[in-house]
Amino acid sequence: MLLVGALPLLYLLGAALDLSLARPCPAAWAPGVLLRRTMLGLLTVAWVGVLLAQLGGFSARPLLAAAVALVLARLGWQRARRHVGGWFPDGRWGATGELAALAALLALAVLLFAHPGEDVLGARDPGIYYATGVAIARTGGILQHDPTLAALGASLGDVSVNYWLFQSVHGWPLRFPGQLFVRDLTAGTVEPGFFPWYPVLVAFAVDLGGLEAGLWVNPLLATLAVLTVYAVARRLVGVTPALLAAALLVVNLGQVWFARYTMAEPAAQLLLWSGLYGAVVARKEAQCSAGVLTGAAWAGLLLARIDSVLLLPLLLGYLAWEARVPSRRSFALPALGLLLLGVAQTTWHAIALAPGYTSMTFSRATLAVAAGGVVAALLLAAVAWICAVNWHRPGVRRWAPAALVAAVTIAAVFAYVVRPMLPAPPLSGEAAELERAARESLVRLGWYLSPLGLLLALVGAAALVVAGWWRRAGLLLALLALSLAFYLPNPLVSADQPWAVRRYLPVVLPGLLVLAGYGAVRLGCWAWHGQWGRRVGPRLLAAGLAAAVAGGEWGATAPMIAYREHAGAVGQVRALAAAVPAEAIVLFPWTPAGLRLALPLQYLGERGSFVLPTRDLETGVVAVVRRWLADGRTVYWIVPQGTRFPTPPGLRLVPAGQYVFAVPQLERPVDRLPREAHPVEFALQLYRLQLAP
């Protein structure tokens, strides 16, 4: 409720900015104005929040107070000029049936998305994202000061740090397994992995509403993303295809799962499509407000996911191309300027605040694949340029669309039918499974869209090209083609389901579903030859095709309807923390329980914790523990019940209680979609360490 209640304030802030940038347009689509202003408010607050967090001064309440002050200042300025209109959109609301259908889809999205998981455990990306947001809320900065880590640095002496900290494959010591790097052991400085746009929103929610509020950020972002995808599709392909696309997106397993999962993909989806919405709105009338929306959204995209740099050449090229026309510069120049500002801010963040994560991400293998993507983008741009320059020639206008459709069809048939059947290289273990997943990538993408959905998307893309609408939808088609070319052949995309589909969430899933909705409508029109119901008949056929796709999607989504990943984890972490004194340092051995619980105990339970790279209290660990105990510190050792180990020399282990941690966890098969969850249970024995007499 807190996050939903923040939407009116975001809208008012965005309206104040919108009214300062452009005059109200009575001919505009009113729901689109509501969306644009809400996103302008969200983007402004998020950008300022990220900047403050980068500078170490984040706090939600003063920032919201500043937003209120800005709104009141704008209202006071208008009153002084005796003009206070324009705050509520006065444009066209559209047909009642469209609004009712859209409201029903958003209500369905809320029902499906409003089951956020409590993905706060360690050794996985969701827990790192959430822990980073909690740390920003409590400390105000991206870089984290960890007193327990500093205590370790002060007490190590001649003991190797390898007794205490894991080492990443790129040489950075890890504070916890995952994307948390030790920046400075002596000072206790920790550098979080991943980029900050989404964690800052989690920090907003946690700072204002507590730990549980941070879990509701993604349901809200995913719901806004559905509305944004609909708004873009409505402009590009029409109302009926847009409604079908939005309906298919709402019931898609990938969309539902990540709407409940503490990852940045829903944020990336919302940011990318918000920028697209500004771009498609500006096609009809270039406006500064649309340019600000596009530039701020795509700049935020760079700060949300590091792999969005793959799309950067295409986005910059598009805006530069638009800026060449004087009538388009009121849109393109603000968008280009804000995007370049985002590039500079992202570069500074990568160098100054996230060198560990950046060096890990941009390994040689990743750079090689990214270089291939950039080459593909340049080739795609060259083809588009050649077609645009020579489009006036009859031969080009006649044969270029057919050649493009034929090439895409051949590539799709090869990827779906031929590539999985080719001889596989002699690999074994995880490498063999990843190679198999890459070879079957289009088939596995069809698990989420259904084979019919993939076919309808191909039909929709062909219809856009043949009808000459490729100019209108060219940017979306180019982004989709680039993303597919990068991810489908890539063996680095994990084979775990539904984990693997995260790469497709920002561009591929919504983009293909927009094309599928349009393809269903075009097939309905082509197949209907009767005189009765010239409008009703094609729509019924299109709805039937979309329903068949939705039925395939629903079969994958249905087992997740009422499911919450790791339900009860936050409360159980708090209970475990309550069993340990606030000043204690807690040690876990290298076990599944330690890998999963040390992180949330540190960040949610506010108990200094370590998960050791060893299973026993090794000599190097004992040396540091004895120094801590001699200095009067309290140290606990938490192990699975029934664990046997020798008593460390010079220490006593005093039993301090038992605790059972149990949550449900969705299975992650590699050869099919998940269908059921299994309990994850850790029965723990707590010991208090003391110096032996």
Side-chain angles (χ1 to χ4, degrees):
M1 293 301 295
L2 174 70
L3 297 179
V4 175
L7 289 178
L9 176 59
L10 294 177
Y11 170 79
L12 291 174
L13 175 61
L17 296 173
D18 193 38
L19 291 171
S20 302
L21 295 170
R23 295 179 180 179
C25 179
W29 183 52
V33 176
L34 288 171
L35 175 63
R36 182 180 76 230
R37 291 179 173 181
T38 301
M39 285 305 304
L40 282 173
L42 175 61
L43 291 170
T44 301
V45 170
W47 177 76
V48 176
V50 168
L51 184 60
L52 291 175
Q54 289 173 326
L55 298 175
F58 172 86
S59 182
R61 289 173 176 81
L63 185 52
L64 292 183
V68 172
L70 181 60
V71 171
L72 294 177
R74 172 69 193 191
L75 185 60
W77 180 83
Q78 285 186 289
R79 282 186 177 275
R81 296 174 62 91
R82 298 182 180 181
H83 174 70
V84 293
W87 288 86
F88 191 76
D90 54 358
R92 299 176 293 103
W93 286 90
T96 304
E98 177 192 359
L99 293 178
L102 182 58
L105 285 175
L106 293 178
L108 178 60
V110 170
L111 289 175
L112 290 176
F113 300 167
H115 300 273
E118 299 184 34
D119 310 294
V120 300
L121 303 186
R124 278 288 195 174
D125 294 356
I128 303 297
Y129 271 114
Y130 186 78
T132 301
V134 172
I136 293 172
R138 288 177 175 164
T139 67
I142 299 292
L143 297 180
Q144 305 161 15
H145 174 65
D146 188 337
T148 311
L149 185 65
L152 172 65
S155 302
L156 268 179
D158 57 354
V159 174
S160 171
V161 73
N162 292 329
Y163 282 109
W164 286 88
L165 299 176
F166 291 79
Q167 300 293 321
S168 74
V169 294
H170 299 279
W172 284 79
L174 297 174
R175 178 61 178 92
F176 292 98
Q179 310 287 353
L180 285 169
F181 305 95
V182 176
R183 181 74 169 267
D184 187 329
L185 179 61
T186 303
T189 305
V190 176
E191 170 197 319
F194 309 117
F195 274 12
W197 200 92
Y198 170 63
V200 164
L201 290 192
V202 173
F204 264 109
V206 170
D207 197 13
L208 294 174
L211 293 175
E212 286 81 359
L215 302 172
W216 287 88
V217 172
N218 265 355
L220 177 61
L221 296 181
T223 304
L224 285 174
V226 169
L227 179 58
T228 307
V229 170
Y230 171 78
V232 173
R234 185 182 188 272
R235 285 273 187 166
L236 292 181
V237 295
V239 172
T240 301
L243 287 172
L244 296 179
L248 294 176
L249 183 60
V250 165
V251 300
N252 187 274
L253 172 60
Q255 187 75 11
V256 172
W257 177 253
F258 283 97
R260 307 173 177 188
Y261 206 54
T262 50
M263 293 279 285
E265 276 72 15
Q269 184 186 78
L270 176 62
L271 291 167
L272 176 70
W273 287 81
S274 295
L276 282 174
Y277 182 63
V280 298
V281 166
R283 288 196 62 83
K284 186 175 182 180
E285 181 181 357
Q287 295 181 350
C288 182
S289 60
V292 170
L293 174 63
T294 295
W298 288 346
L301 177 65
L302 296 176
L303 289 164
R305 282 201 56 82
I306 197 170
D307 57 357
S308 60
V309 70
L310 171 71
L311 306 177
L312 183 59
L314 195 56
L315 300 178
L316 288 173
Y318 168 77
L319 293 176
W321 175 263
E322 290 287 283
R324 84 192 195 285
V325 181
S327 62
R328 308 284 296 156
R329 288 173 185 165
S330 59
F331 155 76
L333 291 181
L336 188 59
L338 287 173
L339 181 54
L340 290 174
L341 180 62
V343 171
Q345 186 178 4
T346 303
T347 303
W348 171 68
H349 182 92
I351 295 173
L353 301 177
Y357 175 61
T358 304
S359 63
M360 183 200 70
T361 302
F362 291 114
S363 62
R364 291 184 179 180
T366 306
L367 288 175
V369 177
V374 172
V375 170
L378 294 176
L379 291 176
L380 188 64
V383 171
W385 173 269
I386 292 172
C387 290
V389 170
N390 297 281
W391 192 253
H392 63 281
R393 299 183 179 182
V396 174
R397 184 174 298 181
R398 177 181 302 176
W399 295 109
L404 181 59
V405 170
V408 172
T409 302
I410 292 171
V413 171
F414 173 82
Y416 196 89
V417 178
V418 178
R419 189 166 178 245
M421 300 173 61
L422 294 176
L427 300 173
S428 61
E430 183 181 5
E433 184 51 51
L434 289 175
E435 177 64 22
R436 179 188 171 194
R439 297 163 70 85
E440 297 178 357
S441 55
L442 188 59
V443 176
R444 297 185 179 206
L445 180 57
W447 294 353
Y448 294 89
L449 300 174
S450 80
L452 177 59
L454 290 178
L455 179 60
L456 289 176
L458 181 60
V459 171
L464 282 174
V465 173
V466 172
W469 284 16
W470 61 272
R471 293 177 183 269
R472 179 190 304 182
L475 179 58
L476 174 59
L477 293 176
L479 290 169
L480 181 58
L482 182 59
S483 297
L484 287 171
F486 181 75
Y487 286 122
L488 283 180
N490 193 346
L492 298 177
V493 177
S494 172
D496 296 0
Q497 308 295 333
W499 180 257
V501 81
R502 73 193 189 280
R503 304 294 189 188
Y504 302 133
L505 199 73
V507 183
V508 173
L509 279 182
L512 289 179
L513 290 175
V514 168
L515 295 179
Y518 182 67
V521 170
R522 298 312 305 162
L523 279 179
C525 293
W526 294 335
W528 185 262
H529 298 288
Q531 296 299 315
W532 175 82
R534 292 183 177 179
R535 296 183 63 185
V536 175
R539 289 181 178 179
L540 288 177
L541 287 175
L545 290 171
V549 176
E553 290 182 315
W554 189 252
T557 306
M560 311 295 140
I561 293 176
Y563 175 69
R564 294 184 63 199
E565 181 83 334
H566 296 163
V570 172
Q572 293 184 62
V573 169
R574 283 173 168 157
L576 177 59
V580 178
E583 74 280 2
I585 297 175
V586 181
L587 307 181
F588 290 88
W590 182 34
T591 62
L595 292 171
R596 305 310 303 275
L597 295 179
L599 173 78
L601 187 63
Q602 166 105 2
Y603 285 91
L604 280 68
E606 299 184 84
R607 302 294 188 270
S609 302
F610 286 98
V611 54
L612 305 176
T614 62
R615 291 185 176 272
D616 298 323
L617 289 170
E618 302 286 347
T619 303
V621 175
V622 171
V624 176
V625 169
R626 294 185 64 182
R627 292 169 190 162
W628 281 341
L629 294 175
D631 291 338
R633 297 180 182 271
T634 304
V635 183
Y636 272 65
W637 173 240
I638 299 181
V639 298
Q641 291 182 18
T643 300
R644 295 183 178 275
F645 50 87
T647 300
L651 294 179
R652 292 177 53 204
L653 280 76
V654 180
Q658 296 181 337
Y659 188 80
V660 176
F661 182 94
V663 294
Q665 181 170 291
L666 187 69
E667 62 176 345
R668 288 191 172 178
V670 297
D671 56 351
R672 58 175 174 81
L673 293 179
R675 290 189 290 269
E676 58 187 15
H678 303 290
V680 173
E681 182 173 306
F682 303 126
L684 304 173
Q685 175 67 53
L686 284 66
Y687 294 99
R688 180 167 179 169
L689 299 179
Q690 295 181 350
L691 290 173

